[in-house]
Amino acid sequence: MQQTYIGNVVISVNPYKKLDIYEDDFLMEYSGKNQFELPPHIYALADQAYRSMKEENKDQCVIITGESGAGKTQASKIIMQYVAAVSGSTEKVDAVKNKLLNTNPVLEAFGNAKTTRNDNSSRFGKYMDLQFDFHGEPAGGVITTYLLEKARVVRQGEGERNFHIFYQILAAGKGKELGLSGDSTQYRYLRQGKADKVKGMNDTKWFADVVKGLDFIGFTKEEQAAVYGPVASIILLGEVKLSAKGQGAQLADCTDALLKLLGVTREKLEAAVTHNTVIVNKQQVASELNAEQAQDAVDTLAKAMYDRVFKW
């Protein structure tokens, strides 16, 4: 049986506005202080965990939990910023810090979305493992993600958006070179919630932060293009139209841009989404799908593609 003690608990309430208690002067005020010298704060919790790890050589675990909109994503960023600020500074250490901090805009762009309860809601779970050397300096990190809400890729409720990255690519003009034209209201996968604009959220600026983050993390321009291409193709998959053909289905409409992004011919795409392939006695057997089933197959393809892009 695995057992552990629970340490200090901080209860925080999201005020839904910016407060001045997370500025640099506050951060340094909590650095190295006894837990009860100052009022409760996420900085105090982060400082205790960091100093315990450094002085006692014991692994530390911070669990952040709460309902949607409670501020979990923000709390994790505050803890990472604190550790980055109080640890040492060398060229190598700073490079690691920049990588860790710049995962935030990337993960949020691809894994967060506007919901009716939260404009920047994480639609996935994550386990962040920050690793330190014997000096207590950041040496690296591993982020494990799980339970991505793939259904959001093809369907959103009233007042909600798809994942942020779709709107960012269009707002920043990146979509034009990928065969996308117009804004998000033109695309089925992006307009269902009728909430393509979010007050206080600048999709163009955020996309610039995503590009900066990918640069810091180490994605080459070719690798970044390999991310944007599938995202654009998913948007275009939502525009694919199918019609009945006897007992089966056929492609009624799809763009050349989609075929180019997927790297397939129209015939291959049609065969893929209008047939279901199963293994029977170690042999592949293909059966026809009707138009409605084929449309479901297109949606399934879009969700599977996004899941793989996100995990990569």
Side-chain angles (χ1 to χ4, degrees):
M1 180 184 295
Q2 186 69 34
Q3 300 181 7
T4 185
Y5 288 110
I6 294 177
N8 294 318
V9 176
V10 171
I11 300 174
S12 61
V13 179
N14 187 354
Y16 294 97
K17 62 180 180 180
K18 289 187 178 296
L19 301 179
D20 61 0
I21 61 172
Y22 299 105
E23 306 299 332
D24 290 344
D25 55 342
F26 257 87
L27 189 151
M28 299 316 299
E29 187 177 352
Y30 276 87
S31 177
K33 293 291 194 304
N34 183 280
Q35 178 191 350
F36 299 106
E37 286 187 56
L38 296 168
H41 200 292
I42 294 178
Y43 287 156
L45 185 69
D47 183 74
Q48 184 180 36
Y50 176 70
R51 285 194 291 122
S52 295
M53 179 271 301
K54 187 175 180 179
E55 296 170 5
E56 301 173 18
N57 294 318
K58 290 183 179 180
D59 293 342
Q60 303 293 310
C61 180
V62 178
I63 298 175
I64 304 173
T65 185
E67 65 179 12
S68 180
K72 299 183 294 297
T73 298
Q74 194 65 24
S76 66
K77 289 193 289 186
I78 290 169
I79 290 173
M80 290 177 68
Q81 290 164 355
Y82 185 85
V83 172
V86 300
S87 53
S89 179
T90 65
E91 184 175 348
K92 182 178 179 181
V93 169
D94 287 344
V96 173
K97 288 181 183 179
N98 281 329
K99 284 187 177 182
L100 292 174
L101 293 175
N102 279 281
T103 60
N104 287 319
V106 175
L107 277 176
E108 289 182 29
F110 285 87
N112 289 21
K114 170 181 166 48
T115 68
T116 55
R117 303 187 67 182
N118 184 358
D119 289 346
N120 186 32
S121 179
S122 297
R123 308 318 299 162
F124 68 103
K126 65 181 174 183
Y127 177 82
M128 307 181 72
D129 182 6
L130 304 184
Q131 300 165 351
F132 299 83
D133 62 18
F134 64 94
H135 292 298
E137 312 299 354
V142 177
I143 300 176
T144 304
T145 63
Y146 53 93
L147 295 177
L148 177 69
E149 189 184 56
K150 299 187 291 291
R152 181 170 296 272
V153 174
V154 300
R155 193 171 294 106
Q156 310 91 43
E158 186 78 20
E160 300 195 348
R161 295 208 311 179
N162 207 324
F163 293 101
H164 294 318
I165 188 63
F166 292 109
Y167 305 90
Q168 293 169 7
I169 284 178
L170 291 171
K174 187 72 176 177
K176 292 180 180 178
E177 61 191 71
L178 296 169
L180 301 172
S181 59
D183 59 23
S184 57
T185 59
Q186 293 184 238
Y187 298 102
R188 181 170 69 91
Y189 283 165
L190 307 185
R191 64 171 179 251
Q192 296 172 53
K194 300 176 183 178
D196 59 309
K197 301 295 183 184
V198 180
K199 185 178 180 180
M201 186 178 293
N202 188 323
D203 288 317
T204 303
K205 180 181 180 301
W206 196 337
F207 184 71
D209 292 337
V210 171
V211 174
K212 176 184 173 184
L214 290 171
D215 287 338
F216 268 115
I217 294 169
F219 278 69
T220 65
K221 293 303 179 184
E222 291 75 18
E223 288 171 333
Q224 291 181 36
V227 170
Y228 304 140
V231 172
S233 66
I234 289 168
I235 296 175
L236 293 174
L237 274 173
E239 303 308 299
V240 167
K241 292 180 174 58
L242 297 117
S243 61
K245 181 183 180 183
Q247 297 297 313
Q250 63 182 354
L251 273 180
D253 187 29
C254 74
T255 64
D256 292 336
L258 172 61
L259 298 175
K260 181 179 179 181
L261 287 169
L262 293 178
V264 299
T265 63
R266 181 187 176 93
E267 292 71 27
K268 285 189 175 182
L269 178 60
E270 182 177 73
V273 300
T274 61
H275 290 77
N276 181 38
T277 303
V278 295
I279 306 296
V280 179
N281 293 329
K282 299 182 180 180
Q283 291 186 332
Q284 288 189 349
V285 178
S287 59
E288 286 189 324
L289 301 175
N290 61 36
E292 183 178 352
Q293 292 170 329
Q295 188 63 65
D296 289 340
V298 171
D299 290 348
T300 299
L301 174 61
K303 289 186 288 186
M305 286 175 60
Y306 193 78
D307 185 52
R308 292 196 180 194
V309 170
F310 178 75
K311 287 177 179 175
W312 183 63

